[in-house]
Amino acid sequence: MKNIVVINGPNLNMLGEREPDKYGSETLAEINAYLTVKAAELGLSLTFLQSNVEGELVTAIQDAAGADGVILNAGAYTHYSIAIRDAIASITVPVVEVHLSNIYKREEFRHVSVIAPVCKGSVAGFGKDSYLLALYSFFV
Ligand code: DQA
């Protein structure tokens, strides 16, 4: 069974309370439970990690080197963390960038993703189903 590591960055532990108009009303635990069911249907197993700390995200990406894939919502770090970009570039495992919201429809500073060039692909704007679409990407 393929193992996919799902990594969520800063403030994503606040889902459910945080700007529900942009990010929905479900908590991260609820989204992870939903993804676990969907992944089992697809024959995938998931490992979850959330951190608000940039260095912990770097380590989590490095530690995922033995997994079959990574789904990464780097939150605001998407837009400026060269350390996270370099961590992604340092592993050969495919990393799929995910955002709940459509970052290209929002403020201009969110239109830049410094991690996109080192990711296999990106999914943004489909709420929790951005993660589901990222799961499907491991079959294409
Ligand atoms: C986000 C978009 C980012 O711009 C923002 O900083 C987040 C969440 C998303 O999932 O839509 O924290 O990554």
Side-chain angles (χ1 to χ4, degrees):
M1 197 184 253
K2 279 189 181 178
N3 182 44
I4 308 297
V5 182
V6 182
I7 301 174
N8 280 286
N11 299 305
L12 291 158
N13 57 314
M14 297 297 287
L15 289 178
E17 297 172 44
R18 176 191 182 202
E19 302 182 88
D21 53 314
K22 296 185 181 71
Y23 301 119
S25 55
E26 284 180 87
T27 65
L28 186 58
E30 287 166 342
I31 292 173
N32 289 349
Y34 168 76
L35 293 173
T36 300
V37 171
K38 295 290 185 187
E41 289 168 11
L42 295 169
L44 300 172
S45 79
L46 302 183
T47 306
F48 297 102
L49 185 138
Q50 188 277 329
S51 176
N52 293 322
V53 180
E54 186 179 24
E56 287 180 5
L57 295 167
V58 168
T59 301
I61 293 163
Q62 293 173 358
D63 288 349
D68 296 295
V70 174
I71 293 175
L72 173 64
N73 185 346
Y77 286 136
T78 302
H79 312 300
Y80 66 93
S81 174
I82 306 304
I84 289 176
R85 177 197 163 110
D86 286 352
I88 297 167
S90 78
I91 61 171
T92 55
V93 176
V95 178
V96 178
E97 173 187 10
V98 156
H99 301 284
L100 293 146
S101 64
N102 181 351
I103 55 174
Y104 302 101
K105 236 164 72 171
R106 299 182 61 193
E107 302 95 324
E108 223 168 283
F109 65 85
R110 294 185 206 277
H111 298 181
V112 174
S113 167
V114 299
I115 67 170
V118 290
C119 286
K120 181 182 178 192
S122 306
V123 187
F126 300 98
K128 68 179 179 185
D129 286 320
S130 291
Y131 296 90
L132 177 60
L133 293 169
L135 285 181
Y136 286 125
S137 78
F138 292 107
F139 295 93
V140 295

